[in-house]
Amino acid sequence: MASLKKAWNPMLAIPILGALSAFYFGLTQTFWAVTGEFTRWGASLMNLVGIDTSHYSYLKLIHYQGTVLDRVDGIMIIGMFLGAFVAALISNNVKLRWPTSKIRIGQAIGGGILAGFGARLAMGCNLAAFFTGIPQFSLHAWIFTIFTVIGTYFGTKIIKMPFFRPRVKLQKKNSHTLADLHQGDHTSRNRVLLILAGVAIVGLFFVEANKAALLPWVLIFGLAFGFLLEKGQVCFTSAFRDLWTAGRTNMTKAIIVGMLVSTIITYFFIRSGIPAKIMWAGPNVVIGGFVFGIGIVIAGGCETGWMYRAMEGQVHYMLVGVGNIIGSMLLVISWDALAPKIVMPFPKVNLLTSLGNYGGLAFTYGALLLSLLLVMWYERHFFKKNSEPTKEVLAHEN
Amino acid sequence: MKTDYNIDYLLDLKGEPCPFPAMSTIDAYDDMADEEVIEVLSDCPQSINSIPVDAKKRGHDVLLVQQDGPTFRYVIRVHK
């Protein structure tokens, strides 16, 4: 029970997520993805306020039809929210946390808009164009990843500006007593909320079972995804951003290992006849990855990141979610002007066809292992560089 | 709660979303002397994957990690 309450090591949670996401593809023939569904939510909102969305071709492209409860992505996402909520309750991590300043509110919405727009321009987010896109052998995911890395580098320059810094000061304490955390006892509240979440899950299970045999399974996968993201405190933004802010690589390495796991399982599903999900490898992916990279750093989280944090009661990340949906709506509106120039003329490159089955597999594993080595090299380089001033001071003192 | 060591500093980062708790904690080490102890409070649960990891990477001792509620506590002894 104690290990269920504590956070899990991302090096455990993410490889499990990698394996599950590959089996999810095998089951549903679609990949684990979230932003496409958020775009459909945006479209429903537009319809709700009386905007006619029938002429937007992007919505046809992402098969906008039915309600959230009819769509595979929809029920998976509801599962993710519920799974994350259950994990947050078990971990006693649920607390309403309000933004500390207007700057943070602006960051959350503005960064969310950039991330939502960039992700949809590139046809995916940290999942479909990275974590579940690379194992699909789609070249666009590699291009997206590279430009997301570059985007997060510039994003980090922005959030390091004094304007964004916390106003918190280091207080002199000089005492043998730990601060009172004023946590309160949430045991009974958590228990009630857990029961409510349980009722919702069981209810949804029956609703979905009546719709199609597949959908209850989709719900279960969604629950597992959300649960693992919260338990592992899995942050894809951190995997990129914190290379630059702190030279930290634990999340980056865990994500690469996760993809090493999911790639081989996905490969077997594709070889068994399920078509790989391949997207256009055009300038849209370059721009989308870069804008997404900047956006997620300013917002403080990407699509999967805001989902579980919103369920923990972090209002900041609810606003990031609102921003994401606004960003995806802006993309829907501008797609018909952009796509003929920067998307459609470019090929959908499947590495398994362009390099052959074994060539594509070897390329993916080679590039993932190279990324792992690069990250390890970068970490050593970062700490060597940052320890140099101390050595200089020491030499001076001697 | 009493500790058998003196806590020199308190850094209360409640309400700050990531990455600011991690960044501010790293900055705080610069203002501290060798062997000094800092207590860091954060209600961003993701800090569990950043603050203790960053401290160890920089050669500091993580004396306490408390995560039994929405606000996490980290106590770190700095080595320079």
Side-chain angles (χ1 to χ4, degrees):
Chain A
M1 198 58 201
S3 62
L4 210 56
K5 283 186 179 169
K6 275 189 181 170
W8 294 355
N9 191 331
M11 199 46 109
L12 173 74
I14 302 179
I16 300 175
L17 280 169
L20 283 180
S21 66
F23 287 114
Y24 178 78
F25 169 65
L27 176 80
T28 61
Q29 313 211 348
T30 186
F31 46 19
W32 176 30
V34 292
T35 40
E37 181 63 19
F38 290 138
T39 313
R40 295 180 199 118
W41 292 11
S44 296
L45 279 175
M46 285 160 83
N47 288 333
L48 204 69
V49 295
I51 301 170
D52 176 25
T53 58
S54 58
H55 59 284
Y56 292 124
S57 66
Y58 195 82
L59 297 175
K60 292 189 189 79
L61 188 70
I62 60 168
H63 309 291
Y64 170 56
Q65 56 203 11
T67 70
V68 61
L69 293 177
D70 305 318
R71 296 187 289 254
V72 167
D73 290 341
I75 197 62
M76 191 281 295
I77 282 182
I78 293 178
M80 274 176 78
F81 277 123
L82 284 168
F85 189 50
V86 167
L89 287 169
I90 293 174
S91 325
N92 194 16
N93 272 345
V94 178
K95 182 183 96 172
L96 210 54
R97 302 149 173 98
W98 295 98
T100 49
S101 68
K102 289 200 178 89
I103 297 169
R104 293 280 180 264
I105 296 174
Q107 260 180 279
I109 298 176
I113 290 175
L114 288 176
F117 184 88
R120 284 331 298 171
L121 180 62
M123 302 298 296
C125 60
N126 60 305
L127 296 177
F130 176 49
F131 189 67
T132 55
I134 285 175
Q136 291 286 334
F137 304 95
S138 181
L139 179 66
H140 98 288
W142 282 106
I143 301 171
F144 182 82
T145 305
I146 291 166
F147 283 90
T148 299
V149 171
I150 298 170
T152 57
Y153 179 79
F154 286 101
T156 305
K157 296 265 179 225
I158 296 171
I159 61 158
K160 275 189 170 175
M161 293 191 301
F163 178 71
F164 289 114
R165 286 277 164 137
R167 303 281 172 262
V168 178
K169 291 266 178 297
L170 186 63
Q171 303 166 41
K172 192 76 187 138
K173 177 163 164 161
N174 225 348
S175 131
H176 279 67
T177 313
L178 293 168
D180 188 353
L181 297 181
H182 303 289
Q183 300 262 45
D185 184 8
H186 303 301
T187 319
S188 50
R189 181 207 67 180
N190 288 350
R191 206 167 285 159
V192 170
L193 290 174
L194 264 177
I195 293 169
L196 287 176
V199 170
I201 291 167
V202 172
L204 267 174
F205 196 86
F206 283 107
V207 169
E208 296 304 311
N210 280 326
K211 285 182 187 285
L214 176 70
L215 291 175
W217 291 101
V218 171
L219 177 64
I220 292 171
F221 269 94
L223 288 166
F225 291 148
F227 188 88
L228 286 163
L229 286 171
E230 205 281 342
K231 281 307 327 176
Q233 290 293 319
V234 176
C235 181
F236 286 81
T237 305
S238 159
F240 297 113
R241 174 198 65 210
D242 295 336
L243 296 171
W244 320 124
T245 62
R248 193 185 325 114
T249 61
N250 55 337
M251 200 63 74
T252 328
K253 287 180 198 155
I255 288 173
I256 296 173
V257 172
M259 287 192 283
L260 288 171
V261 172
S262 62
T263 295
I264 189 70
I265 307 172
T266 308
Y267 175 79
F268 284 115
F269 280 122
I270 293 171
R271 288 301 302 275
S272 77
I274 302 176
K277 304 279 281 181
I278 310 295
M279 299 296 169
W280 297 276
N284 65 314
V285 184
V286 171
I287 302 165
F290 184 73
V291 172
F292 175 76
I294 292 180
I296 57 174
V297 174
I298 292 175
C302 60
E303 275 70 358
T304 51
W306 77 253
M307 289 178 70
Y308 72 81
R309 290 181 180 110
M311 298 318 284
E312 290 170 349
Q314 302 196 45
V315 175
H316 179 98
Y317 290 97
M318 300 175 192
L319 297 174
V320 176
V322 171
N324 273 176
I325 294 176
I326 297 173
S328 67
M329 280 160 34
L330 293 176
L331 188 271
V332 167
I333 294 167
S334 39
W335 178 258
D336 291 305
L338 294 171
K341 296 189 191 85
I342 60 169
V343 187
M344 297 305 174
F346 297 89
K348 293 181 172 183
V349 181
N350 180 344
L351 295 172
L352 293 183
T353 19
S354 51
L355 301 175
N357 283 325
Y358 293 117
L361 194 62
F363 172 88
T364 303
Y365 271 95
L368 284 173
L369 289 171
L370 184 69
S371 311
L372 195 59
L373 286 175
L374 258 175
V375 168
M376 288 156 89
W377 170 83
Y378 170 80
E379 186 184 19
R380 286 187 63 169
H381 167 78
F382 182 93
F383 282 98
K384 227 167 127 184
K385 195 179 80 184
N386 284 316
S387 63
E388 268 163 13
T390 340
K391 275 181 200 149
E392 274 165 27
V393 172
L394 283 174
H396 186 72
E397 281 171 354
N398 287 338
Chain B
M1 213 162 58
K2 289 278 179 192
T3 53
D4 47 10
Y5 42 81
N6 185 51
I7 302 165
D8 300 283
Y9 294 99
L10 174 71
L11 187 60
D12 184 353
L13 293 159
K14 286 200 295 287
E16 287 294 338
C18 41
F20 299 103
M23 285 165 72
S24 295
T25 305
I26 292 173
D27 288 345
Y29 299 146
D30 290 339
D31 300 331
M32 294 170 63
D34 189 28
E35 293 294 312
E36 281 190 323
V37 174
I38 182 171
E39 177 182 2
V40 183
L41 309 180
S42 169
D43 56 7
C44 161
Q46 215 260 325
S47 61
I48 194 78
N49 286 329
S50 59
I51 291 174
V53 178
D54 289 342
K56 285 178 200 152
K57 261 281 158 202
R58 284 158 181 75
H60 310 319
D61 281 333
V62 180
L63 303 177
L64 177 71
V65 175
Q66 205 185 328
Q67 50 162 321
D68 46 11
T71 303
F72 289 26
R73 185 202 318 268
Y74 307 93
V75 182
I76 293 146
R77 186 188 300 280
V78 167
H79 295 289
K80 295 216 162 174

